[in-house]
Amino acid sequence: MWAAYTAAPAALWALAGWAGPYAPLLAAAMTCTGFLARAVGFVLVCVVYGYYPFEQVLVCRGLRPDAAFSFVERHWAYFMGFGAPSAAVALTSGSYFVAYGVYAVLFPFFLMLGVLSSMGGRGGGGARGVPRLAAFALPRRVARTVQGRLREAAAAAGRDV
């Protein structure tokens, strides 16, 4: 796994050596790519940490997992804001034990806030001007494809699914 993370930068630096006069442009692109990757990673970690306390709430309200993921995709800005403090602690602390300890202490408070919140009270969409974040589109498509293939295989074998 670690080799995949070290092979890509090594290949890019080798390409930079052959790029000649375009090497500064390639180095700038690599720097921007690293910054963008960290920014997108922080946004996704915020959304995931914001989703954890609401998972039980969404299940108790009767939402299926695909409907819950669609809800998160529509209201990702809310989940990002809710999970930002936990994500900031997790990403800035030097130890996973400290980050998870802080999160474990604060999780009951976050869970109570999730239960007391009124989510999705205004229509079906997210906030005005906030685009839908299709973070679960690929996993949803893969899951549906695998489910369909398993149903087809079960039907061919004469089993009830």
Side-chain angles (χ1 to χ4, degrees):
M1 180 75 162
W2 182 252
Y5 291 117
T6 57
L12 287 175
W13 282 114
L15 180 64
W18 291 318
Y22 301 108
L25 182 64
L26 186 61
M30 288 171 36
T31 303
C32 289
T33 303
F35 175 73
L36 288 175
R38 280 188 229 117
V40 169
F42 181 73
V43 167
L44 291 177
V45 167
C46 286
V47 170
V48 167
Y49 277 154
Y51 175 71
Y52 284 157
F54 288 97
E55 185 176 18
Q56 293 85 6
V57 176
L58 295 173
V59 168
C60 287
R61 290 186 182 176
L63 266 72
R64 296 184 327 269
D66 58 336
F69 291 148
S70 293
F71 184 81
V72 171
E73 287 176 346
R74 284 192 313 268
H75 301 282
W76 66 269
Y78 178 81
F79 287 99
M80 182 183 161
F82 198 83
S86 300
V89 168
L91 296 176
T92 58
S93 69
S95 169
Y96 288 114
F97 295 116
V98 171
Y100 287 123
V102 170
Y103 190 74
V105 168
L106 294 177
F107 184 75
F109 176 69
F110 291 153
L111 188 59
M112 287 186 288
L113 285 176
V115 169
L116 294 175
S117 70
S118 59
M119 302 179 302
R122 293 182 235 142
R128 287 187 188 173
V130 178
R132 183 181 178 118
L133 179 71
F136 301 110
L138 180 64
R140 188 181 303 128
R141 180 175 290 168
V142 169
R144 286 180 183 163
T145 303
V146 169
Q147 269 185 333
R149 299 276 168 91
L150 289 174
R151 284 190 181 126
E152 290 172 4
R159 296 184 182 154
D160 233 358
V161 179

